[in-house]
Amino acid sequence: GREGGGRMIKGILVINNHGKPRLTKFYEHLPVDRQQAMIKECFTLISKRSDRVCNFLEEVGAWSKDTKLVYRVYATLYFIFVVDGSESELGILDLIHVFVESLDHVFENVCELDLIFHTDKVHHILDEIVMGGMVLETNLQEILTAVKEQDELETKGSKVASAKLKLKQQLS
C-alpha cells in the first residue's frame, strides 16, 4: 500500500531517440498544445544528458515547480515518469523497471514497434501499474496475471462473436 494523498505521478512518456512520442499518458488535464510542448521539452532536456549523470531532473520549465522527471533509457527508448517532487527517485526508477519488465514478458523483448502496433495492450499493462496517477501494483507476477486474464477474456469474447457469426450464416 501507498501512503499520502494526491497524485504522485503526473505523466508517463515513452519517447524514441528521435523525439517521437510512442506512449503518452497525462494524469492531469492539459490542453494538447501544452502536452506537446512538455513532451518536446522533456526530450530536449533528457536527450542532451550524458549517460554518466543521474536519472532525474528537478524543477523542469513547463511543469509546475514541485515536479521532477525520472527516466531510464532502454535501447532506443526513453521511459520518462513525471512525478511529484516528494517522490523517491529510486522508487520511481524501480517502477519504470517493473513497467519495462512487464512489457518484455508480454512482448518477449519489447521493442519500439510493439509500442506502435499494440498501443491498447501497452496502455492496459500501464493501467495495471498506475491508475489516475497513483501506483496500483509493483509486483511483476500480479501485473502479468492481470494482463493474462484480460487477454483470456478478450479471446473468449472473440470466440463467442465468431460462433454467433457462424450460427447466423448457417441459419440464413
Side-chain angles (χ1 to χ4, degrees), residues 84-166:
D84 189 86
S86 60
E87 278 298 294
S88 143
E89 291 90 17
L90 291 176
I92 297 297
L93 286 170
D94 276 348
L95 197 59
I96 297 173
H97 187 67
V98 166
F99 179 40
V100 173
E101 259 189 60
S102 305
L103 292 171
D104 267 344
H105 275 272
V106 172
F107 296 112
E108 280 130 45
N109 273 343
V110 68
C111 70
E112 194 174 335
L113 289 175
D114 295 318
L115 301 187
I116 297 167
F117 292 115
H118 304 285
T119 315
D120 291 352
K121 193 165 215 161
V122 172
H123 275 278
H124 176 228
I125 295 166
L126 184 57
D127 289 344
E128 289 298 331
I129 303 170
V130 177
M131 184 70 86
M134 304 292 282
V135 178
L136 291 183
E137 186 56 75
T138 55
N139 179 308
L140 183 63
Q141 278 326 114
E142 295 288 333
I143 296 161
L144 295 175
T145 301
V147 170
K148 195 168 157 250
E149 286 167 0
Q150 182 64 34
D151 286 350
E152 285 164 4
L153 281 174
E154 284 168 14
T155 306
K156 227 176 252 164
S158 60
K159 280 182 184 160
V160 168
S162 64
K164 279 182 179 172
L165 189 65
K166 270 190 194 141

Side-chain angles (χ1 to χ4, degrees), residues 22-34:
R22 292 307 184 200
L23 175 127
T24 57
K25 186 99 177 187
F26 289 93
Y27 295 104
E28 34 191 42
H29 181 72
L30 293 166
V32 174
D33 56 340
R34 181 109 191 272

